[in-house]
Structures are given as C-alpha cells and as structure tokens.
Amino acid sequence: MILPILHYPDKRLRTKAVAVPVVDDAIKTLVSDMFETMYEAPGIGLAATQVDHHIRLIVIDTSEDKSQPLCLINPEIIEKDGELEWDEGCLSVPNYYECVTRANHIKVKALNEKGEEFELEAEEILGVCIQHEIDHLDGILFVDHLSKLKQRRLLEKTRKAQK
Ligand code: GNR
Ligand code: NI
C-alpha cells in the first residue's frame, strides 16, 4: 500500500520518534508499505516519520535497480568521522536541493526486519542517506542544516507554491 508523505512545513515532521519495542507483524507490514512508497516516489530512503508513523524505522535503497533494500530499526550511529558535502533532496521538501555537510564515514547498529541486530559501515551516498533518515526520526530536516537566509527563502517559496 502506498502511504501519503508529509510535506514541509508540516509540524508532524518535527515529532521525535520512539524506539520500536518488538518487530511484530504490524511493523513488517509498515516496512513493506514504506518500501513500496519509497520506490514509487521514487526516493533512495524513507523514514517512518515522513509517513506519519513516529517510530524509529527507516528503509533505504541507494542502488540504481532497486536491488539493495535495507531496513534499519532503532538505528544508532556508533562511530563517525570526517566530513563531506552532498547535494541533498527530500521527499518531504519537493523540488528543493542544497548542499549539506555530513560525516564522511559512519558505523551504525540497528535491527533488521526480522528483529536481528546488525552493524553496517557506510560512506558517500549510503552514509549521507542514513544520516538524513536518522535526522527525520529526531524531527530534523536537511533544511535545518542550512543558513537562516536559505531557510527563510524556502519558506517563502513554499508559501507561494501553496497559493
Ligand atoms: O530520495 C532522496 N534522495 C536523497 C538525496 C540526497 C540526500 C538524501 C536523500 S534522501 C531522499 C529521500 C528522503 O527524503 N528520505 O528521507
Ligand atoms: Ni528526507
């Protein structure tokens, strides 16, 4: 099932998500719906926050042929180093792209869709995407990392587009 995606400046995107206590059938259904929604959008990642479910769950696939689905439940960054700049976009901020500085290399710990713990090292687009998605779970959008001037211009542009 395709789920509706919340759009900036919707206040619900500011909700801090809570940990998933158990990976049950309801969570598995949500994971499946989130993959379908992400692929259909299309996007390379989606956080539960964006579909108005305020639990710590993200799905990602940075491959070109939808061949590397990745589900991270209760993800935690346990190591990060270096810096890189990446031109980011967001399904919750349509038609807007800006460069954001992130950690260059991260190590994350999470549960998969079967509830098993795993660790993953990531850099470049995958590392950027994981950091972008974990931000969503904390109510943070990539635009929060931009200058106040850019944020004001974006709000103005968003208001005009909604008229
Ligand atoms: O589809 C997406 N592309 C993207 C490009 C650069 C940096 C981050 C992203 S994530 C985004 C999908 C999305 O909004 N996930 O929350
Ligand atoms: Ni996003």
Side-chain angles (χ1 to χ4, degrees), residues 85-105:
E85 279 202 349
W86 205 276
D87 201 25
E88 297 196 18
C90 181
L91 295 171
S92 296
V93 191
N95 308 311
Y96 188 77
Y97 305 87
E98 280 288 349
C99 260
V100 175
T101 303
R102 301 276 188 188
N104 173 46
H105 181 267

PDB file of all heavy atoms in Angstrom, residues 85-105:
ATOM      1  N   GLU A  85      30.500  17.027   1.753  1.00  0.00           N
ATOM      2  CA  GLU A  85      29.358  17.835   1.331  1.00  0.00           C
ATOM      3  C   GLU A  85      28.597  17.053   0.292  1.00  0.00           C
ATOM      4  O   GLU A  85      29.197  16.455  -0.600  1.00  0.00           O
ATOM      5  CB  GLU A  85      29.856  19.142   0.696  1.00  0.00           C
ATOM      6  CG  GLU A  85      30.219  20.191   1.703  1.00  0.00           C
ATOM      7  CD  GLU A  85      30.183  21.585   1.082  1.00  0.00           C
ATOM      8  OE1 GLU A  85      30.074  21.706  -0.153  1.00  0.00           O
ATOM      9  OE2 GLU A  85      30.254  22.548   1.855  1.00  0.00           O
ATOM     10  N   TRP A  86      27.272  17.042   0.424  1.00  0.00           N
ATOM     11  CA  TRP A  86      26.455  16.304  -0.536  1.00  0.00           C
ATOM     12  C   TRP A  86      25.244  17.149  -0.904  1.00  0.00           C
ATOM     13  O   TRP A  86      24.663  17.804  -0.036  1.00  0.00           O
ATOM     14  CB  TRP A  86      25.983  14.981   0.086  1.00  0.00           C
ATOM     15  CG  TRP A  86      25.683  13.968  -0.969  1.00  0.00           C
ATOM     16  CD1 TRP A  86      24.520  13.845  -1.674  1.00  0.00           C
ATOM     17  CD2 TRP A  86      26.563  12.956  -1.467  1.00  0.00           C
ATOM     18  NE1 TRP A  86      24.620  12.826  -2.567  1.00  0.00           N
ATOM     19  CE2 TRP A  86      25.865  12.263  -2.465  1.00  0.00           C
ATOM     20  CE3 TRP A  86      27.878  12.578  -1.162  1.00  0.00           C
ATOM     21  CZ2 TRP A  86      26.428  11.187  -3.167  1.00  0.00           C
ATOM     22  CZ3 TRP A  86      28.430  11.516  -1.860  1.00  0.00           C
ATOM     23  CH2 TRP A  86      27.708  10.837  -2.848  1.00  0.00           C
ATOM     24  N   ASP A  87      24.875  17.142  -2.171  1.00  0.00           N
ATOM     25  CA  ASP A  87      23.692  17.867  -2.625  1.00  0.00           C
ATOM     26  C   ASP A  87      22.480  17.010  -2.258  1.00  0.00           C
ATOM     27  O   ASP A  87      22.283  15.951  -2.833  1.00  0.00           O
ATOM     28  CB  ASP A  87      23.780  18.093  -4.139  1.00  0.00           C
ATOM     29  CG  ASP A  87      22.902  19.247  -4.596  1.00  0.00           C
ATOM     30  OD1 ASP A  87      22.616  20.148  -3.784  1.00  0.00           O
ATOM     31  OD2 ASP A  87      22.489  19.252  -5.769  1.00  0.00           O
ATOM     32  N   GLU A  88      21.704  17.458  -1.263  1.00  0.00           N
ATOM     33  CA  GLU A  88      20.594  16.648  -0.762  1.00  0.00           C
ATOM     34  C   GLU A  88      19.233  17.137  -1.235  1.00  0.00           C
ATOM     35  O   GLU A  88      19.039  18.315  -1.520  1.00  0.00           O
ATOM     36  CB  GLU A  88      20.609  16.633   0.783  1.00  0.00           C
ATOM     37  CG  GLU A  88      21.871  15.997   1.346  1.00  0.00           C
ATOM     38  CD  GLU A  88      21.755  15.607   2.810  1.00  0.00           C
ATOM     39  OE1 GLU A  88      20.632  15.504   3.343  1.00  0.00           O
ATOM     40  OE2 GLU A  88      22.824  15.392   3.417  1.00  0.00           O
ATOM     41  N   GLY A  89      18.310  16.188  -1.277  1.00  0.00           N
ATOM     42  CA  GLY A  89      16.915  16.488  -1.536  1.00  0.00           C
ATOM     43  C   GLY A  89      16.111  15.683  -0.542  1.00  0.00           C
ATOM     44  O   GLY A  89      16.677  14.882   0.204  1.00  0.00           O
ATOM     45  N   CYS A  90      14.799  15.892  -0.492  1.00  0.00           N
ATOM     46  CA  CYS A  90      13.957  15.173   0.461  1.00  0.00           C
ATOM     47  C   CYS A  90      12.544  15.059  -0.100  1.00  0.00           C
ATOM     48  O   CYS A  90      12.006  16.033  -0.631  1.00  0.00           O
ATOM     49  CB  CYS A  90      13.932  15.928   1.789  1.00  0.00           C
ATOM     50  SG  CYS A  90      12.936  15.124   3.059  1.00  0.00           S
ATOM     51  N   LEU A  91      11.948  13.886   0.037  1.00  0.00           N
ATOM     52  CA  LEU A  91      10.577  13.677  -0.450  1.00  0.00           C
ATOM     53  C   LEU A  91       9.590  14.565   0.304  1.00  0.00           C
ATOM     54  O   LEU A  91       8.508  14.847  -0.198  1.00  0.00           O
ATOM     55  CB  LEU A  91      10.184  12.197  -0.312  1.00  0.00           C
ATOM     56  CG  LEU A  91      10.978  11.217  -1.187  1.00  0.00           C
ATOM     57  CD1 LEU A  91      10.647   9.785  -0.803  1.00  0.00           C
ATOM     58  CD2 LEU A  91      10.717  11.470  -2.668  1.00  0.00           C
ATOM     59  N   SER A  92       9.980  15.026   1.494  1.00  0.00           N
ATOM     60  CA  SER A  92       9.105  15.915   2.273  1.00  0.00           C
ATOM     61  C   SER A  92       9.342  17.396   1.960  1.00  0.00           C
ATOM     62  O   SER A  92       8.641  18.256   2.503  1.00  0.00           O
ATOM     63  CB  SER A  92       9.301  15.671   3.774  1.00  0.00           C
ATOM     64  OG  SER A  92       8.887  14.357   4.101  1.00  0.00           O
ATOM     65  N   VAL A  93      10.336  17.668   1.106  1.00  0.00           N
ATOM     66  CA  VAL A  93      10.623  19.049   0.663  1.00  0.00           C
ATOM     67  C   VAL A  93      10.778  18.991  -0.862  1.00  0.00           C
ATOM     68  O   VAL A  93      11.891  19.087  -1.380  1.00  0.00           O
ATOM     69  CB  VAL A  93      11.905  19.617   1.320  1.00  0.00           C
ATOM     70  CG1 VAL A  93      12.025  21.127   1.061  1.00  0.00           C
ATOM     71  CG2 VAL A  93      11.964  19.331   2.815  1.00  0.00           C
ATOM     72  N   PRO A  94       9.667  18.809  -1.594  1.00  0.00           N
ATOM     73  CA  PRO A  94       9.760  18.565  -3.042  1.00  0.00           C
ATOM     74  C   PRO A  94      10.422  19.714  -3.802  1.00  0.00           C
ATOM     75  O   PRO A  94      10.262  20.885  -3.432  1.00  0.00           O
ATOM     76  CB  PRO A  94       8.297  18.418  -3.478  1.00  0.00           C
ATOM     77  CG  PRO A  94       7.515  18.182  -2.243  1.00  0.00           C
ATOM     78  CD  PRO A  94       8.274  18.814  -1.118  1.00  0.00           C
ATOM     79  N   ASN A  95      11.157  19.361  -4.846  1.00  0.00           N
ATOM     80  CA  ASN A  95      11.764  20.344  -5.763  1.00  0.00           C
ATOM     81  C   ASN A  95      12.728  21.309  -5.087  1.00  0.00           C
ATOM     82  O   ASN A  95      12.797  22.473  -5.457  1.00  0.00           O
ATOM     83  CB  ASN A  95      10.670  21.151  -6.486  1.00  0.00           C
ATOM     84  CG  ASN A  95       9.650  20.244  -7.130  1.00  0.00           C
ATOM     85  OD1 ASN A  95      10.013  19.311  -7.837  1.00  0.00           O
ATOM     86  ND2 ASN A  95       8.374  20.483  -6.858  1.00  0.00           N
ATOM     87  N   TYR A  96      13.471  20.832  -4.098  1.00  0.00           N
ATOM     88  CA  TYR A  96      14.438  21.688  -3.419  1.00  0.00           C
ATOM     89  C   TYR A  96      15.696  20.877  -3.109  1.00  0.00           C
ATOM     90  O   TYR A  96      15.604  19.780  -2.547  1.00  0.00           O
ATOM     91  CB  TYR A  96      13.828  22.243  -2.125  1.00  0.00           C
ATOM     92  CG  TYR A  96      14.682  23.284  -1.457  1.00  0.00           C
ATOM     93  CD1 TYR A  96      14.730  24.588  -1.939  1.00  0.00           C
ATOM     94  CD2 TYR A  96      15.457  22.953  -0.346  1.00  0.00           C
ATOM     95  CE1 TYR A  96      15.532  25.541  -1.323  1.00  0.00           C
ATOM     96  CE2 TYR A  96      16.258  23.912   0.272  1.00  0.00           C
ATOM     97  CZ  TYR A  96      16.289  25.195  -0.222  1.00  0.00           C
ATOM     98  OH  TYR A  96      17.069  26.140   0.388  1.00  0.00           O
ATOM     99  N   TYR A  97      16.843  21.392  -3.504  1.00  0.00           N
ATOM    100  CA  TYR A  97      18.112  20.684  -3.328  1.00  0.00           C
ATOM    101  C   TYR A  97      19.158  21.668  -2.848  1.00  0.00           C
ATOM    102  O   TYR A  97      19.258  22.778  -3.374  1.00  0.00           O
ATOM    103  CB  TYR A  97      18.563  20.052  -4.665  1.00  0.00           C
ATOM    104  CG  TYR A  97      17.500  19.147  -5.243  1.00  0.00           C
ATOM    105  CD1 TYR A  97      16.498  19.660  -6.066  1.00  0.00           C
ATOM    106  CD2 TYR A  97      17.459  17.789  -4.908  1.00  0.00           C
ATOM    107  CE1 TYR A  97      15.476  18.851  -6.552  1.00  0.00           C
ATOM    108  CE2 TYR A  97      16.449  16.968  -5.386  1.00  0.00           C
ATOM    109  CZ  TYR A  97      15.461  17.505  -6.205  1.00  0.00           C
ATOM    110  OH  TYR A  97      14.457  16.693  -6.668  1.00  0.00           O
ATOM    111  N   GLU A  98      19.914  21.270  -1.825  1.00  0.00           N
ATOM    112  CA  GLU A  98      21.008  22.118  -1.339  1.00  0.00           C
ATOM    113  C   GLU A  98      22.106  21.226  -0.767  1.00  0.00           C
ATOM    114  O   GLU A  98      21.846  20.113  -0.320  1.00  0.00           O
ATOM    115  CB  GLU A  98      20.522  23.071  -0.242  1.00  0.00           C
ATOM    116  CG  GLU A  98      19.802  24.315  -0.736  1.00  0.00           C
ATOM    117  CD  GLU A  98      20.707  25.357  -1.409  1.00  0.00           C
ATOM    118  OE1 GLU A  98      21.951  25.247  -1.330  1.00  0.00           O
ATOM    119  OE2 GLU A  98      20.135  26.293  -2.011  1.00  0.00           O
ATOM    120  N   CYS A  99      23.319  21.760  -0.742  1.00  0.00           N
ATOM    121  CA  CYS A  99      24.466  21.041  -0.190  1.00  0.00           C
ATOM    122  C   CYS A  99      24.445  21.066   1.331  1.00  0.00           C
ATOM    123  O   CYS A  99      24.198  22.111   1.934  1.00  0.00           O
ATOM    124  CB  CYS A  99      25.760  21.679  -0.679  1.00  0.00           C
ATOM    125  SG  CYS A  99      26.453  20.754  -2.045  1.00  0.00           S
ATOM    126  N   VAL A 100      24.660  19.892   1.926  1.00  0.00           N
ATOM    127  CA  VAL A 100      24.717  19.758   3.385  1.00  0.00           C
ATOM    128  C   VAL A 100      26.036  19.070   3.745  1.00  0.00           C
ATOM    129  O   VAL A 100      26.490  18.187   3.017  1.00  0.00           O
ATOM    130  CB  VAL A 100      23.513  18.908   3.906  1.00  0.00           C
ATOM    131  CG1 VAL A 100      23.627  18.665   5.399  1.00  0.00           C
ATOM    132  CG2 VAL A 100      22.192  19.576   3.566  1.00  0.00           C
ATOM    133  N   THR A 101      26.638  19.493   4.857  1.00  0.00           N
ATOM    134  CA  THR A 101      27.857  18.838   5.340  1.00  0.00           C
ATOM    135  C   THR A 101      27.468  17.733   6.327  1.00  0.00           C
ATOM    136  O   THR A 101      26.692  17.962   7.252  1.00  0.00           O
ATOM    137  CB  THR A 101      28.782  19.860   6.033  1.00  0.00           C
ATOM    138  OG1 THR A 101      29.060  20.908   5.101  1.00  0.00           O
ATOM    139  CG2 THR A 101      30.084  19.219   6.468  1.00  0.00           C
ATOM    140  N   ARG A 102      27.991  16.544   6.077  1.00  0.00           N
ATOM    141  CA  ARG A 102      27.709  15.369   6.930  1.00  0.00           C
ATOM    142  C   ARG A 102      29.027  14.698   7.291  1.00  0.00           C
ATOM    143  O   ARG A 102      30.064  15.023   6.733  1.00  0.00           O
ATOM    144  CB  ARG A 102      26.877  14.335   6.144  1.00  0.00           C
ATOM    145  CG  ARG A 102      25.541  14.823   5.625  1.00  0.00           C
ATOM    146  CD  ARG A 102      24.468  14.718   6.680  1.00  0.00           C
ATOM    147  NE  ARG A 102      23.149  15.016   6.126  1.00  0.00           N
ATOM    148  CZ  ARG A 102      22.066  15.147   6.875  1.00  0.00           C
ATOM    149  NH1 ARG A 102      22.136  15.000   8.188  1.00  0.00           N
ATOM    150  NH2 ARG A 102      20.895  15.425   6.330  1.00  0.00           N
ATOM    151  N   ALA A 103      28.948  13.670   8.162  1.00  0.00           N
ATOM    152  CA  ALA A 103      30.117  12.829   8.401  1.00  0.00           C
ATOM    153  C   ALA A 103      30.377  12.018   7.133  1.00  0.00           C
ATOM    154  O   ALA A 103      29.451  11.611   6.440  1.00  0.00           O
ATOM    155  CB  ALA A 103      29.868  11.904   9.584  1.00  0.00           C
ATOM    156  N   ASN A 104      31.646  11.800   6.861  1.00  0.00           N
ATOM    157  CA  ASN A 104      32.067  11.105   5.641  1.00  0.00           C
ATOM    158  C   ASN A 104      31.934   9.589   5.780  1.00  0.00           C
ATOM    159  O   ASN A 104      31.629   8.888   4.824  1.00  0.00           O
ATOM    160  CB  ASN A 104      33.536  11.497   5.402  1.00  0.00           C
ATOM    161  CG  ASN A 104      34.186  10.751   4.299  1.00  0.00           C
ATOM    162  OD1 ASN A 104      33.603  10.610   3.235  1.00  0.00           O
ATOM    163  ND2 ASN A 104      35.383  10.273   4.540  1.00  0.00           N
ATOM    164  N   HIS A 105      32.134   9.120   7.003  1.00  0.00           N
ATOM    165  CA  HIS A 105      32.147   7.673   7.251  1.00  0.00           C
ATOM    166  C   HIS A 105      31.407   7.403   8.559  1.00  0.00           C
ATOM    167  O   HIS A 105      31.676   8.067   9.558  1.00  0.00           O
ATOM    168  CB  HIS A 105      33.607   7.211   7.352  1.00  0.00           C
ATOM    169  CG  HIS A 105      33.735   5.741   7.574  1.00  0.00           C
ATOM    170  ND1 HIS A 105      33.830   5.199   8.840  1.00  0.00           N
ATOM    171  CD2 HIS A 105      33.773   4.701   6.712  1.00  0.00           C
ATOM    172  CE1 HIS A 105      33.914   3.873   8.728  1.00  0.00           C
ATOM    173  NE2 HIS A 105      33.893   3.550   7.453  1.00  0.00           N
TER     174      HIS A 105
END
